[in-house]
Amino acid sequence: MNPFRSLNRIFRAIPVNLALILMCAMWIIPTLGLFVSSFRDKESVRTSGWWTVLSPRAVVGQTEYSTYCASCHGPNGNALPNVDLSDPAVVAQYTRDYQLLAMLNQPVNGESHLKDPTLPSNPNESLAILGNVLNYMQSLSTSANRGLGLTLSNYADALVGYKGTNTYLDDCATSGAEASIKFKCNASDLLNPEGMGAALINSILVTVPSTLLVIAIAAFAAYAFAWLDFRGRQWMFALLVGLQIVPLQMTLVPISRIYAQIGMQNTFIGIWLFHTGFGLPYAIYLLRNFIGSLPREIFESAYLDGANHWRAFRNLALPLAMPAIASLGIFQFLWVWNDFLVAKIFLSAHPVLTVQITNLIDPRGSNWHILTGAAFLSFIIPMIVFFAFQKYFVRGMLAGSVKG
Amino acid sequence: MATMPAIMKQGKWTPWLYLLPALLIMAVFIVFPTLNTIVLSFMDRTSTQSAAADCVAGQPCWGAFENYRYALTDPEMTQALSNNALWLILMVPATVAAGLLFALLAERVRYEKLAKSIIFMPMAISFIGAGVIWQFMYKIETGEGPQTGLLNAIIVGLGGKPVAFMSTYPLNNFMLMIVGIWLWAGFCMTILSAALKGLPGEVIEAAQVDGANGWQTFWKVMVPLIMPTIVVVTTTMIINVLKIFDIVFVMTGGNYGTEVIANRMFKLIVTDTGRSMAIAVILIALMIPIMISNIRRFNKQEEER
């Protein structure tokens, strides 16, 4: 074989590979960013980009600190034992930069606190510098300064629904159960209704029955549409194709009014039935196309062997339709798990994961670190389902929208 | 429809026993509420009297259609409608094109499965989760510190000024659409890829033998052959875009000029049910052409079976 030809082929393949790798990178980087951030501590998430996770940590205020303070207090702030700047108790006295400025204006041992260099004479300029110094002192006194700053505390905070200014683990470690009235610092915190732990349980309680119910009911109807003869079979099925498109926005208010009247608002059975109702048109459509394409001879010979429809359904149609049922199950599972609108309207008293994430969003944006953990907690189960059953998921998608 | 095996006996009521649970649930949860919603859309916020009661003397009034006057002419709603139109015009073709590009590229490499999984993965996660992921990309740091959002960090790194992606109109709309493309390109890719794989190899080879280059083969042979699939994917995307809600809800709340129909409907659902229902009816009215074309396509496929 001509060596130039294969070389030529390699060169021609470069643009394709380059383009594809670039696009894959674009697709994966946003998720990767959130994933990396979910393991970084609060201070790192707030002050530096996730891509700096492996680089030497340049902490805000480090240069200012070494210019003005390091000569006496030492690079780690602990050179003077009685004013140990890595001691949280000392730092806690100066939460604002002007407090620090006032402190610096007091003489130490009869001499001015800052000798060389002195702060700029413009008070605004010196306050800006001191703000950074303060920031650095805070980072000295927290765990943020050690190692890469990787931690599981975001996940802990998200699971228990911690909304304080520190972290759940720190609060519990320093002051135990007195840390706050809300937390007991034991396993029961995982069930705090404001946390992702309770929401995870709610999501499972919503999703599993909604999925099983739709499969069971759709299988019966699909068998009837495929192998039974009745009036209106044709147009009823055509109607079903149309119903697949009805947006659920069309049904929210009437259903929630009925639910309010009969006391089914905020009940699990209410949301199961709603999800089942909306899953059925697609589910019946998918299963009927599959069951209807099974060879008719097997049904005929079963009948000749004395089987009735119930036995043909249970012993033939159901087992043979397993691949389609798997597709449908995964579809419905992911759809219900990831739903936000229905859960928000019908089950806000027992928030599922998606609803809980929106509850955790702080309008001031001060709890990003918790959201990173919360989002990934909500991804774990659908990701497992998705990657374990990807084949069936793709099949279901193809059958639903193309084959017809 | 597939023909019944004639020899299989069935009782008169057997089919209805199998159908009953499904028909009952669909009647209660889809058909009845849809009709009820249409009725409610002609009533005022208390749902006890005609929407005409909301009319104010001396102001424009559409009588019983008063909620529709709001839904079609109020500035909040025209903003939402035009944003949805923008999504339809820009985001749908972009997503389908991205999906097609992925499908074509992935077929040429050995790591096809891996590449496809990566593009497809966003389909496994919730729109709310996707919103969190992208808010993190678009973040802006207004203070002194370094930018912690990747996009703004790149802009600053290249010497630019950080951009408030979520509150700068009309840029924010495009940034939201990027999230939508990221979410749905995998769907388009999967279906288009299956169609491409189903193309008869001889036809492509024949075109190449006749001297067509890659570009010509693609546009003159492959695209026409997979056109039915492109239509299906596009109509599905149109429905998705008309219903677009979660992304906007979690990322901007519909503020700063990013309002969309479904979000406005959600905002009014408690405070002003009549108007909210009118918006829902407009939503389904926009989908009816697609509904009809889907049923037609289905009937045609059934005839061919």
Side-chain angles (χ1 to χ4, degrees):
Chain A
M1 190 168 155
N2 183 348
F4 288 109
R5 252 177 82 182
S6 59
L7 205 65
N8 204 2
R9 204 159 50 196
I10 292 172
F11 274 118
R12 262 195 310 190
I14 286 177
V16 169
N17 283 294
L18 214 60
L20 194 64
I21 290 170
L22 195 74
M23 285 171 102
C24 286
M26 274 162 58
W27 246 249
I28 210 165
I29 281 172
T31 319
L32 186 72
L34 196 78
F35 186 65
V36 170
S37 300
S38 73
F39 293 104
R40 304 181 78 211
D41 61 54
K42 184 179 173 175
E43 200 51 31
S44 314
V45 171
R46 200 175 63 80
T47 55
S48 63
W50 57 269
W51 54 94
T52 64
V53 65
L54 292 177
S55 63
R57 292 153 54 72
V59 182
V60 178
Q62 187 159 25
T63 44
E64 288 86 347
Y65 177 86
S66 43
T67 313
Y68 292 97
C69 319
S71 56
C72 295
H73 287 275
N76 295 323
N78 52 10
L80 303 170
N82 48 349
V83 277
D84 183 352
L85 296 185
S86 61
D87 178 3
V90 174
V91 178
Q93 294 170 26
Y94 311 106
T95 50
R96 297 285 166 80
D97 39 9
Y98 54 76
Q99 286 172 329
L100 191 62
L101 183 64
M103 156 69 187
L104 291 179
N105 285 333
Q106 288 168 18
V108 177
N109 298 336
E111 293 184 39
S112 70
H113 193 137
L114 272 179
K115 275 167 284 190
D116 186 39
T118 47
L119 286 164
S121 52
N122 180 344
N124 286 336
E125 276 175 46
S126 53
L127 282 179
I129 292 168
L130 290 177
N132 288 342
V133 170
L134 205 59
N135 205 316
Y136 187 67
M137 279 164 61
Q138 273 159 2
S139 74
L140 279 178
S141 67
T142 58
S143 56
N145 204 33
R146 282 164 230 136
L148 292 170
L150 295 183
T151 169
L152 284 174
S153 81
N154 298 332
Y155 286 93
D157 284 357
L159 274 172
V160 301
Y162 180 83
K163 284 179 178 155
T165 49
N166 208 341
T167 70
Y168 170 76
L169 293 178
D170 278 357
D171 267 13
C172 282
T174 51
S175 37
E178 306 107 65
S180 68
I181 316 136
K182 213 154 142 198
F183 295 110
K184 296 191 184 66
C185 294
N186 58 32
S188 70
D189 286 346
L190 289 175
L191 295 177
N192 173 24
E194 288 184 9
M196 295 296 280
L200 188 69
I201 293 171
N202 288 338
S203 271
I204 293 170
L205 286 178
V206 167
T207 309
V208 173
S210 303
T211 306
L212 296 179
L213 214 59
V214 96
I215 291 174
I217 295 174
F220 279 103
Y223 180 81
F225 275 116
W227 295 112
L228 289 167
D229 203 11
F230 55 92
R231 274 186 63 171
R233 184 162 163 266
Q234 186 92 40
W235 69 259
M236 272 168 70
F237 201 72
L239 186 70
L240 209 68
V241 175
L243 283 188
Q244 284 183 42
I245 292 177
V246 173
L248 54 85
Q249 276 90 347
M250 280 302 280
T251 68
L252 294 174
V253 167
I255 298 290
S256 73
R257 287 195 175 161
I258 297 176
Y259 278 3
Q261 271 170 21
I262 60 176
M264 260 168 55
Q265 192 69 22
N266 281 317
T267 62
F268 283 93
I269 183 149
I271 199 164
W272 294 339
L273 288 174
F274 190 92
H275 277 307
T276 305
F278 261 84
L280 275 176
Y282 170 75
I284 298 173
Y285 179 76
L286 183 77
L287 291 185
R288 175 271 186 189
N289 282 348
F290 193 89
I291 294 175
S293 64
L294 297 171
R296 54 183 294 177
E297 293 78 24
I298 58 168
F299 288 94
E300 281 172 347
S301 61
Y303 176 72
L304 291 176
D305 290 343
N308 57 17
H309 277 291
W310 169 240
R311 278 185 53 194
F313 170 67
R314 211 189 51 182
N315 298 342
L316 281 175
L318 274 191
L320 288 174
M322 262 320 174
I325 289 177
S327 296
L328 169 63
I330 290 149
F331 240 81
Q332 177 78 0
F333 184 94
L334 289 177
W335 156 246
V336 175
W337 188 274
N338 290 331
D339 156 75
F340 166 74
L341 185 55
V342 178
K344 172 91 180 161
I345 291 204
F346 293 112
L347 203 67
S348 53
H350 307 283
V352 298
L353 289 166
T354 48
V355 176
Q356 197 74 294
I357 290 177
T358 60
N359 291 342
L360 284 174
I361 293 177
D362 174 4
R364 288 161 301 165
S366 68
N367 61 349
W368 264 107
H369 56 293
I370 298 184
L371 282 183
T372 59
F376 261 92
L377 282 171
S378 80
F379 296 165
I380 293 171
I381 290 184
M383 288 276 191
I384 292 173
V385 169
F386 175 77
F387 281 112
F389 303 104
Q390 199 177 355
K391 189 175 74 181
Y392 293 104
F393 185 73
V394 170
R395 254 190 228 164
M397 220 165 69
L398 294 175
S401 48
V402 179
K403 237 175 84 191
Chain B
M1 288 247 165
T3 46
M4 297 297 113
I7 56 169
M8 281 184 86
K9 205 167 53 182
Q10 66 175 53
K12 195 179 169 202
W13 297 104
T14 315
W16 303 104
L17 282 177
Y18 282 76
L19 286 169
L20 193 69
L23 294 186
L24 204 66
I25 289 185
M26 285 192 290
V28 173
F29 285 91
I30 307 182
V31 180
F32 158 73
T34 300
L35 300 174
N36 193 206
T37 290
I38 296 172
V39 174
L40 290 177
S41 73
F42 291 102
M43 294 161 108
D44 74 345
R45 69 190 64 204
T46 62
S47 300
T48 51
Q49 50 185 343
S50 161
D54 276 345
C55 285
V56 182
Q59 307 236 345
C61 172
W62 290 11
F65 287 86
E66 183 58 11
N67 290 327
Y68 289 88
R69 188 182 67 80
Y70 167 82
L72 293 171
T73 66
D74 189 273
E76 281 167 337
M77 272 307 291
T78 49
Q79 169 89 76
L81 288 166
S82 66
N83 279 345
N84 270 90
L86 202 64
W87 277 76
L88 282 180
I89 296 167
L90 295 177
M91 186 271 194
V92 172
T95 313
V96 176
L100 190 56
L101 185 60
F102 280 134
L104 286 168
L105 287 178
E107 222 160 288
R108 272 146 230 255
V109 297
R110 254 177 274 163
Y111 45 93
E112 178 181 357
K113 266 208 168 133
L114 176 71
K116 280 183 167 177
S117 294
I118 289 173
I119 309 297
F120 199 50
M121 187 205 60
M123 293 224 57
I125 64 176
S126 59
F127 294 162
I128 299 291
V132 173
I133 287 179
W134 280 90
Q135 254 181 337
F136 208 60
M137 288 287 285
Y138 291 159
K139 244 167 96 174
I140 178 167
E141 196 65 56
T142 46
E144 291 286 306
Q147 293 297 328
T148 55
L150 181 58
L151 242 52
N152 269 322
I154 292 173
I155 291 175
V156 171
L158 295 175
K161 277 194 159 177
V163 184
F165 289 111
M166 286 297 97
S167 52
T168 311
Y169 179 83
L171 178 70
N172 46 12
N173 278 308
F174 302 114
M175 300 321 272
L176 290 175
M177 283 180 214
I178 289 177
V179 183
I181 296 171
W182 181 78
L183 274 165
W184 273 307
F187 163 77
C188 299
M189 172 198 71
T190 309
I191 294 185
L192 292 169
S193 171
L196 286 174
K197 282 190 195 305
L199 286 181
E202 313 91 65
V203 181
I204 314 260
E205 274 164 36
Q208 279 160 350
V209 168
D210 287 349
N213 61 27
W215 191 247
Q216 288 168 329
T217 319
F218 174 69
W219 282 110
K220 300 245 166 87
V221 182
M222 287 161 99
V223 168
L225 280 173
I226 60 166
M227 209 37 168
T229 314
I230 294 180
V231 171
V232 171
V233 169
T234 307
T235 50
T236 313
M237 282 308 301
I238 292 174
I239 293 169
N240 288 336
V241 162
L242 286 174
K243 289 197 286 194
I244 190 86
F245 163 69
D246 310 44
I247 298 176
V248 177
F249 176 85
V250 73
M251 294 191 74
T252 65
N255 299 314
Y256 315 113
T258 57
E259 191 65 288
V260 289
I261 306 175
N263 193 50
R264 192 104 280 275
M265 184 263 162
F266 177 77
K267 274 185 188 163
L268 296 175
I269 203 163
V270 177
T271 54
D272 207 333
T273 312
R275 286 179 170 183
S276 177
M277 295 299 94
I279 298 171
V281 173
I282 286 173
L283 199 60
I284 199 174
L286 292 171
M287 294 180 188
I288 282 177
I290 292 171
M291 209 183 276
I292 293 170
S293 88
N294 275 7
I295 293 176
R296 277 211 190 127
R297 193 174 57 239
F298 163 77
N299 283 336
K300 218 169 99 191
Q301 278 165 348
E302 285 300 302
E303 280 164 22
E304 288 164 8
R305 270 170 94 109

